């Protein structure tokens, strides 16, 4: 197991002074008083093996549960009541793996003392429907979290949805009235015809299953969302979470085309602790972070470029979308809390 031997200082996982100032000036008056964060990873490093993702390696604690999550979020949104939808970390590389049984039990244990929170079971495509039904009930979880790296087909980022979310699992979710958080892949995300066909088929055939499209349906470029969202109109069991999206146009398109009731605030903790952002480039998107900004741009004379955490950038984009669409305070509160409350009771 790889561990970070370096003591992590404020510059890595706590807000810097300029980030605190930005949060105070731009976000304090925007963020609602009650938060339900619909996209949170928690973990125990003892259940992970191989080369840790950077966002995990830089966190000094061995166990990061609900209390630790709240401690981080309190800096960005102080004084708020913060609950959310929790699931374990997922396999996210050839040289990194997760003990899913222990991870799912870890999430379940965290929920026992946090009755206003909910949890998802990380699933692999070889799990049959009956096993999933039994485990969800035993662990008192509210749904499923699938991911492309569990697909038996490669390359992982070209996988069809049914490769890592087989229909048998969707049927089980429908029978138990569960949510499914789906991270789309394929280069064009929601604009991909095979992705569209599978989402529509699953959601129409299984209306009691609640589909949450992570990252606004892979909406890192708003053009893919604009192209694909029309096929989802009128479907009452699809939502989008805002996690890690730093294009305000993506949020505006979803609110205009599907309605603000379909949008759920999500942080993507601990990915939200990275500093940088993504933006559309042609028919795809590019991530900028502290490691590549200077390599791409070189020193600039007109400003001191200081990237902020992705979670902060995403909130700023959500605020800009709300302002552009003239959302009411009540509609903003829906996105931060009420929409998720209706899904998860």
């Amino acid at each position: 197991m790889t561990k970070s031997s370096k003591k992590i200082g404020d510059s890595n996982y706590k807000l810097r002074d300029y980030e605190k100032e930005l949060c105070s000036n731009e976000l304090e008056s925007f963020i609602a008083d009650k938060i339900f964060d619909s996209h949170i990873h928690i973990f125990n490093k003892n259940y992970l093996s191989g080369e840790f993702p950077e966002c995990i390696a830089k966190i000094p604690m061995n166990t990061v549960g609900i209390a630790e999550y709240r401690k981080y979020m309190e800096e960005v949104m102080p004084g708020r009541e913060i609950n959310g939808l929790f699931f374990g970390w997922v396999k996210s590389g050839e040289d990194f793996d997760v003990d899913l049984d222990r991870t799912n039990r870890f999430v379940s244990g965290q929920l026992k003392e946090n009755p206003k929170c909910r949890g998802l079971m990380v699933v692999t495509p070889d799990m049959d429907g009956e096993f999933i039904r039994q485990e969800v009930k035993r662990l008192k979880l509210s749904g499923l979290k699938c991911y492309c790296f569990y697909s038996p087909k490669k390359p992982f980022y070209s996988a069809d949805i049914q490769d890592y979310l087989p229909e048998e699992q969707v049927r089980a979710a429908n029978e138990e009235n569960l949510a499914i958080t789906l991270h789309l892949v394929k280069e064009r995300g929601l604009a991909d015809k095979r992705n569209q066909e599978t989402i529509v088929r699953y959601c129409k055939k299984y209306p009691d299953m609640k589909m949450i499209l992570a990252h606004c349906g892979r909406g890192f470029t708003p053009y893919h969302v604009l192209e694909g969202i029309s096929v989802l109109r009128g479907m009452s069991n699809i939502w989008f979470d805002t996690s890690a999206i730093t294009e305000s146009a993506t949020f505006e398109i979803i609110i205009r085309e599907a309605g603000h009731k379909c949008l759920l605030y999500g942080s993507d903790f601990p990915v939200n602790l990275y500093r940088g952002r993504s933006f559309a480039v042609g028919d795809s998107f590019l991530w900028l972070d502290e490691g590549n900004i200077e390599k791409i741009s070189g020193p600039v004379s007109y400003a001191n470029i200081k990237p902020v955490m992705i979670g902060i950038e995403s909130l700023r984009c959500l605020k800009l979308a709300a302002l552009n669409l003239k959302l009411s305070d009540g509609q903003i509160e829906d996105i931060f809390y009420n929409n998720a409350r209706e899904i998860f009771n």
Side-chain angles (χ1 to χ4, degrees):
M1 181 173 66
T2 302
K3 292 184 179 179
S4 176
S5 58
K6 178 182 176 183
K7 181 177 175 60
I8 303 303
D10 289 355
S11 62
N12 284 316
Y13 75 99
K14 295 180 74 66
L15 264 63
R16 297 169 182 170
D17 288 342
Y18 67 84
E19 290 172 316
K20 293 178 182 178
E21 183 178 0
L22 188 151
C23 288
S24 176
N25 292 341
E26 294 189 12
L27 299 178
E28 174 61 29
S29 61
F30 169 66
I31 297 172
D33 293 334
K34 284 187 174 184
I35 306 297
F36 191 95
D37 183 341
S38 294
H39 196 122
I40 313 159
H41 299 270
I42 53 177
F43 52 89
N44 183 319
K45 291 181 180 178
N46 292 323
Y47 309 154
L48 312 177
S49 59
E51 188 68 28
F52 285 5
E54 185 181 0
C55 60
I56 291 180
K58 283 189 172 183
I59 293 178
M61 294 87 76
N62 199 54
T63 300
V64 178
I66 293 177
E68 290 74 23
Y69 154 80
R70 285 185 173 133
K71 182 179 178 182
Y72 285 111
M73 297 300 289
E74 174 70 18
E75 285 204 287
V76 176
M77 40 184 71
R80 269 63 174 190
E81 177 186 327
I82 304 176
N83 296 294
L85 180 64
F86 294 84
F87 35 89
W89 196 262
V90 293
K91 179 179 174 65
S92 50
E94 292 279 16
D95 300 319
F96 175 76
D97 211 346
V98 180
D99 184 328
L100 288 186
D101 178 60
R102 297 170 78 190
T103 291
N104 287 330
R105 285 190 280 120
F106 169 70
V107 172
S108 175
Q110 288 286 306
L111 298 175
K112 290 179 180 178
E113 297 180 1
N114 295 276
K116 292 185 179 180
C117 295
R118 298 292 183 268
L120 300 183
M121 173 184 173
V122 178
V123 295
T124 59
D126 58 336
M127 295 178 181
D128 65 41
E130 183 57 32
F131 172 78
I132 286 173
R133 281 190 287 269
Q134 291 175 1
E135 284 296 281
V136 166
K137 291 176 181 177
R138 181 175 72 88
L139 298 174
K140 296 180 170 59
L141 299 175
S142 300
L144 315 178
K145 166 62 176 169
C146 56
Y147 196 59
C148 67
F149 266 86
Y150 293 109
S151 166
K153 297 183 180 178
K154 299 179 182 179
F156 299 115
Y157 286 112
S158 297
D160 288 322
I161 294 170
Q162 55 268 31
D163 292 335
Y164 57 101
L165 179 64
E167 184 166 351
E168 181 182 8
Q169 296 183 355
V170 182
R171 185 183 305 113
N174 184 71
E175 292 169 357
E176 302 298 332
N177 197 27
L178 302 175
I180 299 176
T181 292
L182 171 63
H183 180 129
L184 293 178
V185 287
K186 295 184 176 294
E187 285 190 8
R188 306 194 73 243
L190 194 58
D192 183 270
K193 297 299 183 185
R194 289 176 68 87
N195 280 347
Q196 293 173 11
E197 290 167 0
T198 304
I199 293 170
V200 170
R201 178 168 60 85
Y202 279 176
C203 290
K204 284 186 174 181
K205 189 173 181 179
Y206 302 106
D208 293 328
M209 173 273 302
K210 293 166 278 195
M211 178 72 75
I212 300 172
L213 299 180
H215 317 298
C216 288
R218 200 172 185 264
F220 299 108
T221 169
Y223 305 105
H224 291 166
V225 179
L226 181 63
E227 183 176 339
I229 198 169
S230 61
V231 302
L232 307 182
R233 283 199 190 107
M235 306 185 76
S236 61
N237 57 341
I238 294 181
W239 291 263
F240 302 80
D241 78 41
T242 68
S243 59
I245 295 298
T246 56
E247 289 272 11
S248 61
T250 294
F251 300 142
E252 291 186 36
I253 291 164
I254 289 171
I255 293 169
R256 281 200 185 103
E257 297 297 319
H260 82 280
K261 297 291 288 183
C262 292
L263 192 61
L264 310 173
Y265 168 70
S267 68
D268 203 7
F269 176 87
V271 175
N272 63 330
L273 304 181
Y274 278 120
R275 288 184 169 90
R277 62 168 296 155
S278 69
F279 59 93
V281 178
D283 198 40
S284 189
F285 58 92
L286 179 69
W287 280 98
L288 284 184
D289 58 37
E290 289 186 295
N292 64 19
I293 285 177
E294 189 165 329
K295 291 179 183 178
I296 293 173
S297 67
V300 295
S301 59
Y302 57 82
N304 180 16
I305 305 297
K306 295 186 290 187
V308 301
M309 290 181 178
I310 290 170
I312 296 173
E313 287 284 18
S314 184
L315 283 165
R316 296 173 78 201
C317 290
L318 182 59
K319 177 182 177 179
L320 186 58
L323 289 172
N324 287 343
L325 296 177
K326 297 180 172 57
L327 297 189
S328 67
D329 289 345
Q331 290 173 315
I332 293 169
E333 290 169 0
D334 287 344
I335 293 169
F336 276 109
Y337 181 75
N338 293 324
N339 295 345
R341 182 188 63 182
E342 293 173 8
I343 297 174
F344 295 106
N345 301 315

